[in-house]
């Protein structure tokens, strides 16, 4: 079952991108909510009509997928699933389990194909639901703050932990980052 | 003292499977802190000790400690037992999905299969929950293939490898739990996943992949800053204490032979 999909506005590709002068392309979604449904997120480039039946092939603009292992809903008392917006000094506890997560996927082949054909790219994410404890999540489950498209040149080495996405050896005009804001629904409230 | 060799559930003999089921049945009948219901509650509801994406590098170590704690309680009942792993990339799983050892609702004698479901009994949730677990797995074609797993093992960076496997792990949770009408399968949601008996065999496979990775890339190939971190819920375990499975008394069959049935 497909929930509401996300499609970015057209993102203009730079000359370097259009020459496909990159070795690796990464797409990052920031502050992705995982408090609700569990689903598979399928990413398509320049195919805003993509849905759960669309073949996951380069011809259809398929770029990558990732999974969300969700919490379903809140099973505690009021406030149990509210993620603190700031931490007090000396608070040694681990992050709240529902702290929004970072997602990074490799989209090199799909972006290279798009870059050689067009001047813009739209990013469509099709959430295919595995399970949802709240009916509202069946319709709308994919929430995140913004996304970043990162390119690596053949000179920019990918080293270090996966969470460190800063380019280590940026090369002018060959290493670019694009960001688009997709406002998450503010503060998912507990659903009882 | 001999070391445990954790095995593929598909290779269990009828006698081994019967003993395993007897162990799970006994564990599910215990309502105190030695029982299945309490240890299942460590993961999500009500204790929420697990680490997933809020602290990603702890994913492998914490679940290794958790699996060990579960297995220790199982072995308190029968010291010959260990947790079997579910290799979702195996030809059999690619064909039938969940192995029949876990999917059969009833045993030949008419009794309940303790590997198919377990009782969730949690009084502290709103509302309190008391019901059997449910599972609605998807099409077997949705499971990862051996090539998908093999490609991750070449990743030498612990964090990147952990993220690749965790994403695969997330998808299998969703696939195994699934949904029927308005009822979500328990494996698909973090709070309830560990109450489904297949959870521990899914995580045994995940742990086996870390074991295989350690054989290739070494047990010390892990950020040093992690080593002193305790494993939440297990005051006798830290990350450093779980990187070497031989120090924990187990390993995985690396030369396991699967005999094909040509009948």
């Amino acid at each position: 079952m497909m929930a509401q999909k996300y499609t970015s506005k057209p993102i203009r590709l730079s000359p370097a991108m259009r020459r496909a002068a990159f070795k690796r392309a990464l797409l990052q979604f920031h502050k992705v909510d995982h408090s609700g449904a569990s689903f598979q997120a399928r990413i398509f480039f320049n195919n805003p009509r993509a849905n759960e039946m669309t073949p996951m092939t380069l011809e259809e603009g398929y770029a990558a997928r990732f999974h969300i292992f969700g919490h379903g809903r809140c099973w505690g008392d009021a406030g149990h699933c509210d993620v603190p917006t700031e931490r007090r000094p000396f608070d040694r506890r681990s992050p709240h389990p529902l702290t929004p997560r970072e997602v990074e996927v490799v989209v090199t082949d799909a972006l290279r194909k798009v870059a050689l054909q067009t001047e813009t790219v739209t990013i469509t994410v099709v959430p295919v639901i595995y399970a949802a404890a709240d009916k509202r999540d069946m319709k709308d489950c994919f929430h995140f703050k913004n996304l970043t498209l990162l390119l690596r040149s053949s000179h920019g080495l990918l080293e270090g932990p996966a969470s460190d996405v800063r380019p280590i050896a940026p090369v002018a005009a060959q290493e670019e980052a694009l960001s688009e804001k997709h406002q998450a629904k503010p503060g998912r409230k507990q659903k009882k | 003292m001999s070391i445990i060799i954790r095995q593929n559930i598909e290779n269990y003999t009828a006698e081994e499977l019967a003993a395993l089921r007897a162990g799970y049945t006994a564990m599910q009948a215990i309502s105190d802190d030695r029982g299945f219901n309490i240890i299942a509650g460590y993961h999500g509801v009500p204790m929420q000790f697990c680490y997933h994406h809020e602290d990603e590098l702890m994913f492998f170590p914490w679940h290794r400690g958790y699996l060990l704690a579960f297995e220790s309680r199982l072995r308190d009942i029968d010291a010959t037992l260990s947790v079997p792993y579910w290799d979702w990339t195996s030809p059999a799983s690619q064909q039938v999905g969940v192995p029949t050892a876990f999917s059969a609702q009833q045993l030949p004698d008419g009794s309940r299969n303790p590997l198919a479901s377990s009782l969730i009994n949690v009084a502290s949730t709103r509302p309190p929950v008391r019901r059997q677990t449910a599972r609605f797995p998807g099409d077997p074609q949705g499971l990862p293939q051996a090539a998908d797993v093999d490609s991750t093992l070449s990743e030498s960076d612990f964090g990147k490898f952990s993220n690749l496997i965790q994403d695969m792990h997330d998808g299998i949770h969703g696939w195994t739990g699934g949904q029927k009408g308005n009822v979500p399968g328990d494996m698909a949601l973090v709070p309830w996943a560990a109450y489904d008996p297949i959870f521990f065999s899914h995580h045994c496979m995940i742990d086996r992949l870390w074991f295989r990775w350690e054989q290739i890339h070494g047990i010390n190939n892990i950020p040093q800053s992690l080593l002193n971190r305790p494993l939440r819920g297990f005051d006798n375990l830290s990350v450093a204490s779980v990187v070497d499975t031989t120090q924990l008394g187990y390993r995985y069959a690396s030369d396991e032979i699967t005999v094909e049935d040509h009948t």
Side-chain angles (χ1 to χ4, degrees):
Chain A
M1 181 181 299
M2 186 181 90
Q4 181 179 320
K5 63 188 177 186
Y6 160 79
T7 296
S8 73
K9 67 185 181 187
I11 299 170
R12 181 160 294 281
L13 300 175
S14 69
M17 287 178 170
R18 285 162 54 197
R19 289 196 307 273
F22 53 87
K23 185 179 181 186
R24 201 173 192 204
L26 302 172
L27 180 59
Q28 301 167 343
F29 294 91
H30 306 293
K31 295 190 182 301
V32 180
D33 175 57
H34 52 103
S35 64
S38 291
F39 59 93
Q40 182 182 80
R42 299 174 184 173
I43 302 163
F44 294 87
F45 287 168
N46 285 353
N47 188 355
R49 291 185 174 179
N51 59 33
E52 64 182 320
M53 304 302 290
T54 304
M56 290 186 281
T57 61
L58 264 181
E59 290 69 31
E60 295 288 345
Y62 174 72
R65 65 184 175 185
F66 64 89
H67 300 90
I68 294 292
F69 182 23
H71 284 250
R73 46 158 279 197
C74 182
W75 297 93
D77 291 322
H80 176 251
C81 287
D82 294 347
V83 180
T85 53
E86 58 184 42
R87 291 170 74 88
R88 292 188 300 275
F90 308 111
D91 184 348
R92 301 287 297 271
R93 291 175 295 181
S94 297
H96 190 284
L98 295 184
T99 301
R101 57 172 289 204
E102 300 292 298
V103 171
E104 179 178 283
V105 289
V106 179
V107 294
T108 310
D109 292 344
L111 188 66
R112 186 165 279 142
K113 179 172 183 290
V114 165
L116 292 172
Q117 293 175 342
T118 64
E119 296 185 355
T120 61
V121 60
T122 60
I123 298 168
T124 296
V125 180
V126 177
V128 181
I129 290 183
Y130 289 122
D134 189 299
K135 283 183 186 174
R136 286 170 289 187
D137 286 335
M138 302 291 271
K139 295 179 181 174
D140 184 15
C141 64
F142 182 48
H143 307 124
F144 66 104
K145 184 179 180 187
N146 62 335
L147 62 82
T148 303
L149 189 57
L150 266 182
L151 302 186
R152 309 283 183 172
S153 75
S154 56
H155 305 293
L157 300 176
L158 275 173
E159 297 291 348
S163 59
D164 182 2
V165 296
R166 291 166 299 172
I168 287 175
V171 178
Q174 291 191 337
E175 176 108 35
E176 304 196 13
L178 296 174
S179 287
E180 179 178 345
K181 288 195 173 175
H182 173 72
Q183 202 60 44
K185 300 203 168 170
R188 287 172 64 93
K189 299 296 181 190
Q190 294 184 64
K191 301 169 208 167
K192 298 272 183 169
Chain B
M1 191 162 48
S2 61
I3 198 164
I4 296 170
I5 309 287
R6 290 181 180 164
Q7 312 253 10
N8 187 334
I9 185 71
E10 293 172 9
N11 295 338
Y12 270 47
T13 65
E15 291 74 22
E16 289 169 336
L17 188 55
L20 182 74
R21 283 171 166 156
Y24 272 65
T25 297
M27 203 168 162
Q28 289 168 359
I30 298 172
S31 58
D32 60 32
D33 62 346
R34 299 167 300 156
F36 190 97
N37 189 71
I38 296 291
I39 190 75
Y42 278 33
H43 184 264
V45 167
M47 300 310 294
Q48 195 66 54
F49 285 150
C50 71
Y51 287 95
H52 287 280
H53 295 287
E54 78 278 15
D55 201 347
E56 293 178 331
L57 295 179
M58 291 295 284
F59 170 70
F60 276 130
W62 187 85
H63 286 87
R64 176 168 284 178
Y66 185 40
L67 201 55
L68 195 67
F70 175 83
E71 189 173 64
S72 295
R73 285 162 173 77
L74 187 63
R75 285 165 59 79
D76 285 344
I77 292 166
D78 180 345
T80 67
L81 298 178
S82 58
V83 177
Y85 64 86
W86 167 31
D87 181 357
W88 13 261
T89 70
S90 75
S93 288
Q94 295 286 314
Q95 201 160 35
V96 303
V98 172
T100 53
F102 293 98
S103 61
Q105 293 298 307
Q106 284 192 327
L107 304 181
D109 65 0
S111 61
R112 186 184 67 83
N113 179 5
L115 302 181
S117 71
S118 187
L119 177 70
I120 302 174
N121 185 13
V122 183
S124 59
T125 51
R126 298 288 178 266
V129 174
R130 184 180 170 85
R131 61 173 174 78
Q132 288 291 131
T133 56
R135 193 191 296 154
F136 312 105
D139 186 320
Q141 289 187 340
L143 289 169
Q145 299 185 344
D148 301 325
V149 167
D150 291 345
S151 68
T152 66
L153 292 170
S154 61
E155 173 57 66
S156 61
D157 181 90
F158 176 79
K160 290 175 185 172
F161 173 68
S162 177
N163 281 343
L164 289 169
I165 295 298
Q166 189 167 186
D167 186 67
M168 201 176 285
H169 146 276
D170 291 353
I172 292 159
H173 267 287
W175 181 93
T176 307
Q179 178 121 0
K180 187 176 184 180
N182 290 329
V183 180
D186 293 292
M187 265 288 278
L189 298 173
V190 174
W192 308 112
Y195 290 93
D196 185 328
I198 203 171
F199 171 96
F200 295 98
S201 289
H202 170 39
H203 269 278
C204 197
M205 174 67 175
I206 297 295
D207 189 63
R208 174 175 169 261
L209 295 180
W210 185 22
F211 171 82
R212 287 180 63 190
W213 184 88
E214 288 180 312
Q215 288 185 313
I216 298 168
H217 302 286
I219 60 171
N220 296 317
N221 191 1
I222 185 170
Q224 297 298 299
S225 59
L226 282 182
L227 294 177
N228 287 331
R229 293 192 59 182
L231 303 187
R232 195 158 54 193
F234 312 110
D235 60 4
N236 58 331
L237 295 176
S238 66
V239 172
S241 68
V242 299
V243 293
D244 183 357
T245 71
T246 60
Q247 296 300 309
L248 301 173
Y250 76 89
R251 56 175 287 128
Y252 289 92
S254 56
D255 53 354
E256 204 169 349
I257 298 170
T258 302
V259 179
E260 292 187 7
D261 183 0
H262 294 291
T263 56

